[in-house]
């Protein structure tokens, strides 16, 4: 059975335009299709989740990363934010950071600290980390 993963982008309020542009229409659609195709070669199915009206107020780049969630039920990861997975981003490139986080959960989920670690990684997103 193939590993199933889900990527969900919550709504964002007060985000900077340069951070929002990668999430717009065709740009994100192409990025997602490419990422899903890359993972498919390894028997991993990546699907897009539905945000269900969740909105994150974006006051920092960390908040932007926290608005993107990854789930991998077979690894015991139900809905973790990108900021929790990769921590501080070196290049402030949302698509690069999403790719890094998805690949980390796809290929090394044991390296993602559980929520019980109580690390101060993010805030304002409701994930509890």
């Amino acid at each position: 059975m193939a590993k199933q993963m889900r990527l969900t982008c919550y709504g964002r309020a007060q985000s900077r335009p340069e951070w929002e542009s990668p999430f717009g229409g065709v740009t994100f659609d192409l990025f997602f299709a490419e990422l899903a195709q890359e993972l498919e070669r390894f028997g991993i199915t990546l699907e897009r989740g539905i945000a269900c009206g969740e909105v994150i107020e974006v006051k920092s780049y960390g908040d932007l990363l926290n608005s993107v969630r990854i789930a991998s039920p077979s690894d015991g990861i139900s809905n973790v934010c990108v900021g929790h997975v990769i921590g501080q981003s070196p290049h402030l490139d949302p698509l690069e950071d999403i790719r890094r986080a998805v690949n980390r959960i796809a290929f090394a989920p044991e390296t993602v600290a559980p929520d019980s670690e109580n690390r101060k990684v993010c805030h304002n997103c409701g994930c509890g980390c």
Side-chain angles (χ1 to χ4, degrees):
M1 184 171 155
K3 181 175 182 172
Q4 302 278 333
M5 294 178 64
R6 182 178 56 255
L7 180 70
T8 305
C9 295
Y10 288 3
R12 291 164 304 281
Q14 301 178 355
S15 180
R16 292 182 182 177
E18 64 269 23
W19 292 343
E20 281 301 309
S21 61
F23 292 101
V26 175
T27 301
F28 192 80
D29 291 342
L30 290 172
F31 164 77
F32 183 86
E34 179 183 296
L35 184 57
Q37 187 176 23
E38 289 171 8
L39 293 172
E40 189 174 18
R41 292 182 292 169
F42 298 98
I44 300 169
T45 301
L46 180 65
E47 64 182 31
R48 283 178 84 169
I50 300 171
C52 298
E54 297 288 337
V55 176
I56 301 293
E57 186 177 348
V58 177
K59 296 180 181 178
S60 68
Y61 187 77
D63 292 339
L64 179 74
L65 295 182
N66 296 338
S67 73
V68 181
R69 305 300 177 95
I70 304 169
S72 181
S74 65
D75 296 312
I77 297 172
S78 61
N79 193 33
V80 68
C81 57
V82 168
H84 182 90
V85 176
I86 64 169
Q88 181 65 36
S89 169
H91 301 114
L92 303 181
D93 179 341
L95 299 184
E96 174 186 323
D97 293 337
I98 292 168
R99 181 182 306 276
R100 285 180 48 227
V102 166
N103 283 329
R104 184 166 178 195
I105 289 178
F107 301 112
E110 69 280 0
T111 65
V112 178
D115 288 341
S116 63
E117 288 286 310
N118 290 326
R119 297 184 315 154
K120 179 65 177 157
V121 176
C122 60
H123 60 89
N124 187 35
C125 70
C127 76
C129 68

